Amino acid sequence: MNKSKNNAVIKYNRWGYIFLIPFAVAYIVFQLIPLFTTIYNSFFENYRDGLTQIGPNFVGFENYKALLESGKLLTYTKNTMIMWVMGFVPQIIFSLLLAAWFSDPSLRLKGQRFFKTVIYLPNLIMASAFSMLFFTLFSTVGPINSILVSTGILKESFNFMSHVWSTRILIAFMNFVMWFGNTTILLLAGMLGIDTSLYEAAEVDGANATQIFYRITLPLLKPILLYVMITSLIGGLQMFDVPQILTSGSGDPIGSSMTLIMYLNQHLYSKNYGMGGALSVLLFIITGVLSVVIFKAMGYEKGAKK
Amino acid sequence: MDQTNLKASKGMNVHLRRAISYVVLALITVMCLIWFYILFINSTRSHAELTRGFTVLPSTYLMKNFQNVMKGTLPIVSGMKNSVIVSVISAVLCTYFSTMTAYAVHVYDFKLKKFAYTFILAVMMIPTQVTALGFIKLIGDIGLADNLAALYLPSIASPIVFFYMKQYMESTLPLSLIEAARIDGANEFFTFNRICIPLMKPAIAVQAIFTFVSSWNNYFTPALVIKSDAKKTLPILIAQLRSADFLKFDMGQVYVTIAFSIFPVIVVYLLLSKYIVGGVTAGGVKG
C-alpha cells in the first residue's frame, strides 16, 4: 500500500522536471552558453583593424591587462559612479520623505493613490524616448532655452550638451525622475510593515515626528534601504539608454558622460570581441559580488527551505 | 490650561506639516508630468510655430505632423508593429513559462528542486548586458540574427518573474487543490492549465504588464540584434532620429515620433495603475 503510494508520488514528481524543461532550455541557450562564450572570448585577441581581421589568437589575460592599463576603464567607471550618486542621493532623500508622509497616520494625506500613480509613471517611460525628449527640450533652439532667454534669466541660449556638468546633471536628473517613484513605493511598503504599537509607545513617551523617524523608522528600515541601495547600484552600473541617446553614443563632452555599458556597446559594435569580453567579465564579477550582498542582507536562503 | 495649550500647538504642527507635504507633493507632481505636457503641446504645433518659442496652449497641427511622419523616411509604422509584436509575445511567453517553472518548484518534490530554486535566485541579478557578446555570436550561429524571435524567445527564462510567481503561489495555490484534481483523474498538464493558471490570473496580469513595458522600452539588445529597416523597433528608430542631422528635421515630426513611443504606455498605465503600483512591492522585498 505504502509502496504503491510512493510510486504514485514519484510518478507525479517526474512532472517537476518536465515543467522545468522550457525554462532550463531557454536559460541554457540564451544566457548560460552566451555567458561562457563571453568569458571564452575575453582570452582572445579578436578585432578588425581597418579591413584586416586580427585574430582570434589566444592571448591569456592580455585583454584584461590592456583594459585596466588604458585608463579609460577608470574614467568611465568614475563617470558612471558620479552620475549614479548624483541621481541616487536626491532619489533616496525624496523617497524617504514621501514614504514617511504617506505612512504617517497623523497626517492623513488625501489623494495618495493619485500621487503614487503620478510618481511611478516616469518609471514606465521608454528611457530612450525620454532622453530624446530632454535632448530636444534642452537643445540650443529648444523650448527650455527659449523660455530662459525670453524671461531674461539668460542673455543667450545655453548649450547644455557641451558642458560637462550640465550634461551630467541632465542625465542624473532623468534617472532621478524615472526611479524615485519606484523607490518610494518600496520604502513605503517597508514602513507600513513596521508595527504601529512602536509608534504609539514612542508618542506616549513624548517623542516628536522627527525623533520617531530617526530612532524607530530608519533603523527598522535598514534591510530595505540596503536592498534599494544595492539594486540601484546594480542598475546604475547598467546605465545606458539615457546617456547613449542624449549624447548620441559619443559620451561627450570629452567622454565625461561615457558609462561602462556605453563603452561595452562600442566594443560590440566595432566587433572588438576580446576587449568586449574582458569588460563584460569584469562587470559580471562586480554585479555578482553586489548580488551576494543583497542575497545575504535579505536572507533569501530562508525562502529555499520553505 | 497647560494641557490644552500643548494640544493646540500640536494641532497647528500637524496642519502645518500637512500643508508643507501637499505643497511638496504638488511640486513633485509638476516635476513628473510637465515633460509629457510639453511633449503633448509641441506635438500639436507646426515646425514654424515651434521655432517661435513655447506656448502653453496646444495648436492644431497634430494630425498634419502625424501624416508627415507617416510619409517620412523613418519606418515608424513598421516600428510600431514590430514593437507590439515583440512586447506582446514576450509578455505571453514570459508569464506562461515563468508560472510553469514556479509550479514545478512549488508543487513537486524532486531531487534537483532545491538546486533549481537556489540557482534561479542566484542568477536573478545578472544583467543581460554582460552576456550580450555571447548572445550576439550565438544568434548569428543559430540563424536568428536580424530576427524578432531573438528578442522574445529569451523571455521564456525570466528569473525575476519566476520569483514573483513562486511568492504568489505560496499564498494562493494550496496543494490540496492539486491533489483533489488528481483524484478526479486530471492529468498534470491539465491541472496546470485549468486550475493553476486561472488562480494565478492577478499575478500574471501584473507581470504581463511589466514584461510588456520593459520589452517595449528595451533598446540595448534590439539595437545589437536588428539590422534591417523593416524589423526595427521603436527605440532603435528614436536613436536613429537622434543621430541624424538634428537641425534639418521638422521638429513637429520629431515630437510626434517621441509621443508615439511614450503615450501608448501612459494610456495602458493610467487604465491599470491600480494593479501596477500594487505589483511593484509584491515581488522583491520581504520585510
Side-chain angles (χ1 to χ4, degrees):
Chain A
M1 179 67 198
N2 200 7
K3 205 181 168 202
S4 80
K5 197 190 166 204
N6 253 342
N7 274 342
V9 168
I10 288 164
K11 204 181 83 200
Y12 282 131
N13 287 340
R14 214 188 47 210
W15 280 86
Y17 292 108
I18 296 172
F19 281 156
L20 271 182
I21 291 173
F23 183 97
V25 170
Y27 189 82
I28 290 169
V29 172
F30 293 115
Q31 290 179 55
L32 210 56
I33 294 176
L35 178 63
F36 288 127
T37 331
T38 307
I39 297 172
Y40 179 79
N41 269 282
S42 72
F43 298 113
F44 286 82
E45 171 186 58
N46 181 1
Y47 61 94
R48 294 189 80 85
D49 186 14
L51 287 173
T52 44
Q53 167 69 30
I54 314 273
N57 307 315
F58 182 77
V59 291
F61 284 94
E62 283 306 310
N63 288 324
Y64 293 89
K65 234 169 110 187
L67 197 62
L68 293 169
E69 276 170 2
S70 77
K72 277 184 177 173
L73 184 76
L74 190 70
T75 315
Y76 300 153
T77 311
K78 238 197 259 164
N79 291 342
T80 313
M81 284 299 100
I82 288 172
M83 289 189 283
W84 173 69
V85 170
M86 283 166 64
F88 185 72
V89 170
Q91 182 189 319
I92 201 78
I93 292 172
F94 274 91
S95 300
L96 273 173
L97 190 68
L98 293 186
W101 283 343
F102 284 146
S103 65
D104 188 341
S106 67
L107 276 181
R108 284 189 304 276
L109 288 181
K110 289 203 181 69
Q112 286 205 20
R113 238 189 77 195
F114 167 78
F115 289 124
K116 278 185 221 163
T117 307
V118 167
I119 60 173
Y120 191 68
L121 173 72
N123 193 238
L124 295 174
I125 297 305
M126 187 187 290
S128 43
F130 196 50
S131 186
M132 180 70 198
L133 178 63
F134 264 63
F135 176 73
T136 50
L137 296 183
F138 284 86
S139 77
T140 44
V141 293
I144 302 288
N145 263 312
S146 86
I147 290 170
L148 289 176
V149 171
S150 67
T151 52
I153 297 173
L154 288 181
K155 272 220 175 77
E156 52 186 18
S157 52
F158 178 75
N159 192 345
F160 286 91
M161 263 65 76
S162 69
H163 295 81
V164 173
W165 285 100
S166 57
T167 309
R168 283 179 176 167
I169 288 172
L170 279 183
I171 293 166
F173 179 72
M174 278 185 264
N175 282 322
F176 159 63
V177 171
M178 291 180 74
W179 286 98
F180 84 98
N182 185 69
T183 309
T184 305
I185 289 166
L186 288 176
L187 293 179
L188 178 60
M191 287 186 188
L192 292 174
I194 296 173
D195 191 352
T196 47
S197 63
L198 288 173
Y199 291 122
E200 281 156 21
E203 236 167 84
V204 170
D205 290 345
N208 63 32
T210 321
Q211 284 172 324
I212 292 179
F213 180 76
Y214 282 108
R215 299 291 174 81
I216 297 180
T217 313
L218 268 191
L220 285 172
L221 220 53
K222 233 187 215 161
I224 293 183
L225 278 174
L226 190 67
Y227 172 88
V228 164
M229 203 179 127
I230 296 173
T231 44
S232 168
L233 181 56
I234 293 177
L237 285 171
Q238 296 168 42
M239 197 189 296
F240 175 70
D241 293 19
V242 168
Q244 173 81 9
I245 299 288
L246 192 74
T247 66
S248 196
S250 67
D252 278 340
I254 48 165
S256 64
S257 54
M258 180 75 111
T259 67
L260 288 169
I261 299 292
M262 286 167 74
Y263 189 38
L264 172 64
N265 192 57
Q266 274 186 351
H267 285 320
L268 294 183
Y269 252 95
S270 60
K271 299 199 190 308
N272 187 345
Y273 290 130
M275 291 293 269
L279 182 54
S280 303
V281 172
L282 288 180
L283 286 167
F284 174 72
I285 293 170
I286 298 169
T287 39
V289 171
L290 291 171
S291 312
V292 170
V293 178
I294 298 191
F295 218 66
K296 285 271 187 295
M298 301 303 294
Y300 276 146
E301 307 98 298
K302 271 184 253 154
K305 276 176 204 148
K306 254 183 213 165
Chain B
M1 181 65 201
D2 209 33
Q3 196 72 3
T4 46
N5 249 347
L6 194 73
K7 232 179 197 166
S9 80
K10 214 175 170 190
M12 271 299 286
N13 200 9
V14 167
H15 284 302
L16 188 66
R17 278 172 50 217
R18 193 177 291 150
I20 293 172
S21 34
Y22 278 127
V23 171
V24 173
L25 280 171
L27 290 176
I28 286 176
T29 305
V30 172
M31 181 188 80
C32 288
L33 298 184
I34 190 160
W35 318 107
F36 309 114
Y37 175 71
I38 299 178
L39 173 61
F40 170 72
I41 296 293
N42 282 355
S43 319
T44 65
R45 303 172 70 216
S46 70
H47 184 73
E49 286 174 329
L50 284 164
T51 52
R52 260 179 264 136
F54 183 70
T55 54
V56 184
L57 292 173
S59 178
T60 53
Y61 282 85
L62 183 61
M63 284 320 289
K64 186 84 189 114
N65 282 337
F66 183 67
Q67 283 160 1
N68 287 338
V69 169
M70 293 297 197
K71 280 183 282 178
T73 47
L74 277 184
I76 193 90
V77 180
S78 72
M80 191 97 176
K81 199 185 78 198
N82 294 331
S83 275
V84 170
I85 292 173
V86 171
S87 311
V88 169
I89 299 181
S90 293
V92 171
L93 290 180
C94 174
T95 48
Y96 184 76
F97 287 109
S98 298
T99 313
M100 185 181 268
T101 314
Y103 188 80
V105 175
H106 181 64
V107 172
Y108 302 101
D109 226 345
F110 50 96
K111 251 189 215 153
L112 290 178
K113 173 184 170 130
K114 211 186 151 185
F115 169 77
Y117 187 72
T118 319
F119 180 82
I120 297 175
L121 287 193
V123 299
M124 202 155 74
M125 293 293 174
I126 299 179
T128 47
Q129 287 96 327
V130 304
T131 57
L133 193 161
F135 182 74
I136 301 163
K137 290 204 130 193
L138 176 104
I139 59 164
D141 293 342
I142 60 176
L144 282 180
D146 197 23
N147 192 327
L148 293 179
L151 302 181
Y152 56 71
L153 284 180
S155 67
I156 292 174
S158 313
I160 295 175
V161 182
F162 157 84
F163 183 62
Y164 181 92
M165 294 301 182
K166 175 78 173 66
Q167 299 274 84
Y168 193 86
M169 257 177 211
E170 271 163 21
S171 61
T172 48
L173 190 71
L175 292 178
S176 54
L177 205 64
I178 314 271
E179 236 136 78
R182 279 178 191 159
I183 290 166
D184 289 345
N187 78 38
E188 298 303 295
F189 204 63
F190 185 90
T191 315
F192 171 70
N193 280 325
R194 294 301 173 83
I195 293 174
C196 170
I197 293 280
L199 276 173
M200 294 292 290
K201 254 185 200 159
I204 289 176
V206 167
Q207 289 305 320
I209 298 163
F210 278 122
T211 314
F212 179 91
V213 169
S214 63
S215 163
W216 178 270
N217 296 345
N218 191 5
Y219 167 56
F220 185 82
T221 318
L224 289 168
V225 170
I226 303 297
K227 297 280 172 265
S228 56
D229 263 0
K231 288 174 185 155
K232 283 179 177 162
T233 56
L234 285 175
I236 307 177
L237 297 179
I238 295 276
Q240 223 167 300
L241 192 63
R242 170 63 184 90
S243 58
D245 191 0
F246 183 73
L247 293 173
K248 282 184 192 151
F249 263 82
D250 173 354
M251 288 310 294
Q253 289 188 43
V254 172
Y255 283 114
V256 165
T257 309
I258 301 173
F260 233 86
S261 329
I262 287 182
F263 284 129
V265 172
I266 294 189
V267 172
V268 173
Y269 174 64
L270 292 181
L271 292 174
L272 302 169
S273 65
K274 199 170 81 186
Y275 308 97
I276 298 177
V277 173
V280 179
T281 45
V285 189
K286 315 196 298 181

